[in-house]
Amino acid sequence: MKNKGLIRIQNPPTILSSAAVVGKKEHDGPLGADFDLHAEDDRFGMDTWEKAESEMQRLAFGLMLKKCRMREDDVDAIFAGDLLNQCTGSSFGLLDFGIPYFGLYGACSTMAESLMLAALTVGNNIFNRAAAVCSSHFCSAERQFRFPIEYGGQRTPTSQWTVTGSGAMLVANDGGGPYVTEVMPGISVQKGITDANNMGAAMAPAAVDTLTRYFSCSGTVPEDFDVILTGDLGAIGHDITMELLYSSGFNIRSVYNDCGLMIYSAKEQDVHAGGSGCGCSGTVICGPVMKRLRQGIYKNVLFIGTGALMSPGSVQQGMPIAGIAHLVRISSELPGTLVSGEERGGSNG
Amino acid sequence: MNLDANTYQVYAKGYGKKSPVLRDCACAFLVGGIICCIAEGLYRLYLHLGIPETNVRILTPVSMVTLAALLTGFGWFDKIAKFAGAGTLVPITGFSNAVVSPAIDTKAEGFVLGVGAKMFIIAGPVIVYGTLASVVWGVIYYFLHRGGIV
């Protein structure tokens, strides 16, 4: 049978520290108190939205280091990405730190993609400590993908609100957890959705693909997890994912949630189908989820970062939007104590 | 998941709320109507002030464009438009907002390649196809006129 892509990390690295920086709207949302830092005007003291996004990354990364009393020299590499052209949000934001840098583009799945690569490199003794960073900013994303900020248009009910926020995590080969124990890279899945205002429907098939692969080869069942979290499928993608998985024989309803549905109060904050952007899952994982893992409320988290692989040009040319979903399993206990079915031959050596 | 793309698209369409068309139309009618009333009020005011009618016909749309540009600059226009939809888009106020909003947005990229080049990124097609349509109509009108129909 074809390798389904599950990677069990032999020496699961610890998530040593994490930090989440958000804008005002996110701070005003239901998870507001769980984020480390917020700005009142979303400008973060900068004169452009793009600089504001970079500043968020700088703040998140700096705060993450401070929380675990590390310095720049203690970090061997950074895996980072954002939604801006050529990933300038990350490259400018992390410029000051002088650390080997890998720029990633995984659209809104970047938190999962960067965390996966950081965990794989640390878990395989390539690095001792590696950071995963991502960000998105409502205004810089609107400018690049949609309309000018002050343009008077109406949003469709299926549209989502790009989160203003940045998440940073430090993965290390020493420490007592929470651990990144398993990862599964996503496969691009495209089911013909061309509507850029319905990302949830475009990304849901990728989430379903990754979760189906994971459950069928990991030996786990949905109930083994305290929470299964997708990145930013929003209301529509959430429902589609749940139903399609159910029809494949996996009932995730009792433990399933989506970061895009958690970060805002859908009715009061007028975000239509929910939150989106790298910062959506980035801040929710680095803030509230990590907090609950440390408090012992969560012991086993399955995080599936979801991304829509498109550009304004590809959408205008009528190209369908492909989705991708990267999976990361975070556990507060070491794999010896993990629930596991039949061991697959160590695909990670 | 074994759904093929066509089946999935039909399936996905069943999810998510549709735009509330009736409510949107009512809001558009209301706000669009108010905008037209304001313009009519200005028209009469200018006439009352003794300005010749040919000038008033120019002055009224100029005033409405200025008003919409100011509201865009203050950051209020998009809030009204969110409620009004086509009500603010269809009158000349929408055209004003479509020019001013990218101008504000792109000033960080400089006055030439930013504001100058991108100011018409939304309104450009309206100007191009508006001009083209008027040329086409001009030709039609010419023949209708020659044929004695109009």
Side-chain angles (χ1 to χ4, degrees):
Chain A
M1 193 179 176
K2 192 180 156 219
N3 184 337
K4 290 183 176 175
L6 174 66
I7 304 169
R8 290 209 162 106
I9 304 177
Q10 266 196 343
N11 305 306
T14 282
I15 299 172
L16 211 55
S17 172
S18 68
V21 174
V22 294
K24 186 177 185 313
K25 194 179 180 89
E26 293 68 25
H27 177 70
D28 292 341
L31 301 175
D34 293 328
F35 300 121
D36 298 289
L37 197 71
H38 76 281
E40 276 304 320
D41 66 353
D42 289 0
R43 283 222 176 247
F44 288 85
M46 298 290 138
D47 57 354
T48 70
W49 302 118
E50 288 74 13
K51 283 185 198 166
E53 180 164 349
S54 293
E55 178 65 4
M56 283 195 303
Q57 286 213 10
R58 195 185 69 80
L59 289 169
F61 188 82
L63 201 57
M64 175 205 78
L65 285 180
K66 202 175 160 190
K67 281 168 91 172
C68 61
R69 298 198 179 114
M70 294 268 171
R71 294 182 306 123
E72 288 98 317
D73 299 347
D74 299 320
V75 183
D76 299 323
I78 303 176
F79 295 89
D82 55 88
L83 297 177
L84 301 182
N85 285 335
Q86 287 77 44
C87 286
T88 47
S90 309
S91 51
F92 288 122
L94 302 168
L95 201 61
D96 292 347
F97 296 105
I99 300 169
Y101 161 76
F102 296 89
L104 306 177
Y105 189 81
C108 308
S109 72
T110 307
M111 189 70 237
E113 187 179 7
S114 57
L115 178 58
M116 176 188 302
L117 291 169
L120 282 175
T121 48
V122 173
N124 284 296
N125 301 318
I126 296 167
F127 299 126
N128 290 324
R129 293 184 200 93
V133 190
C134 71
S135 69
S136 57
H137 194 299
F138 174 78
C139 295
S140 60
E142 282 294 300
R143 287 193 62 195
Q144 181 167 310
F145 292 98
R146 296 181 191 96
F147 289 110
I149 314 296
E150 298 300 336
Y151 179 67
Q154 279 181 323
R155 304 166 73 83
T156 62
T158 56
S159 69
Q160 291 174 248
W161 189 276
T162 307
V163 166
T164 299
S166 172
M169 257 185 193
L170 187 64
V171 175
N173 58 5
D174 50 353
Y179 306 95
V180 178
T181 56
E182 292 173 339
V183 298
M184 181 181 253
I187 296 172
S188 302
V189 179
Q190 186 265 99
K191 292 284 180 187
I193 299 290
T194 52
D195 181 5
N197 286 312
N198 195 2
M199 298 291 193
M203 296 187 287
V208 173
D209 175 80
T210 301
L211 280 165
T212 310
R213 282 191 293 134
Y214 180 74
F215 285 129
S216 53
C217 72
S218 68
T220 58
V221 290
E223 290 73 29
D224 291 333
F225 299 94
D226 299 300
V227 66
I228 296 174
L229 270 177
T230 46
D232 60 344
L233 295 180
I236 293 143
H238 170 275
D239 292 356
I240 292 176
T241 301
M242 204 159 60
E243 195 175 304
L244 288 180
L245 277 172
Y246 186 78
S247 66
S248 304
F250 304 107
N251 186 356
I252 59 170
R253 181 178 289 270
S254 59
V255 288
Y256 177 45
N257 211 336
D258 180 74
C259 299
L261 292 176
M262 295 162 70
I263 194 162
Y264 298 120
S265 168
K267 279 190 179 160
E268 286 162 30
Q269 294 189 291
D270 193 28
V271 292
H272 295 221
S276 69
C278 306
C280 183
S281 58
T283 55
V284 172
I285 293 295
C286 293
V289 173
M290 280 308 297
K291 201 172 172 181
R292 282 158 185 70
L293 274 159
R294 290 190 195 289
Q295 288 169 342
I297 299 169
Y298 292 159
K299 288 192 167 58
N300 249 320
V301 174
L302 202 57
F303 165 45
I304 304 97
T306 44
L309 303 176
M310 45 73 81
S311 74
S314 74
V315 170
Q316 281 165 6
Q317 289 171 10
M319 298 275 286
I321 301 163
I324 191 145
H326 298 297
L327 178 145
V328 179
R329 177 178 182 169
I330 308 172
S331 304
S332 55
E333 288 160 5
L334 273 169
T337 56
L338 288 178
V339 180
S340 63
E342 60 174 302
E343 280 293 324
R344 269 170 25 82
S347 46
N348 186 36
Chain B
M1 192 186 63
N2 298 319
L3 291 179
D4 63 79
N6 289 337
T7 318
Y8 180 73
Q9 283 164 55
V10 175
Y11 170 78
K13 253 191 184 150
Y15 282 87
K17 284 186 293 184
K18 304 271 178 293
S19 291
V21 178
L22 273 180
R23 207 200 70 181
D24 286 352
C25 286
C27 293
F29 180 78
L30 188 73
V31 180
I34 291 171
I35 290 170
C36 293
C37 289
I38 294 170
E40 181 65 23
L42 284 174
Y43 188 89
R44 291 186 185 206
L45 177 72
Y46 293 145
L47 281 181
H48 183 73
L49 293 173
I51 302 168
E53 193 169 355
T54 43
N55 291 357
V56 170
R57 282 167 190 258
I58 307 279
L59 198 55
T60 307
V62 166
S63 305
M64 295 309 286
V65 165
T66 309
L67 198 64
L70 279 173
L71 288 175
T72 304
F74 289 135
W76 298 337
F77 190 94
D78 58 325
K79 293 183 178 66
I80 302 168
K82 186 176 162 37
F83 171 79
T88 46
L89 181 83
V90 174
I92 204 163
T93 47
F95 188 77
S96 173
N97 170 255
V99 176
V100 176
S101 59
I104 295 171
D105 225 42
T106 51
K107 66 178 189 289
E109 281 98 60
F111 281 100
V112 177
L113 295 176
V115 177
K118 292 181 181 156
M119 186 188 264
F120 293 100
I121 200 156
I122 302 169
V126 182
I127 298 171
V128 171
Y129 295 111
T131 311
L132 196 67
S134 66
V135 169
V136 172
W137 173 242
V139 173
I140 296 169
Y141 185 82
Y142 172 76
F143 285 110
L144 289 176
H145 192 66
R146 290 261 319 235
I149 300 166
V150 288

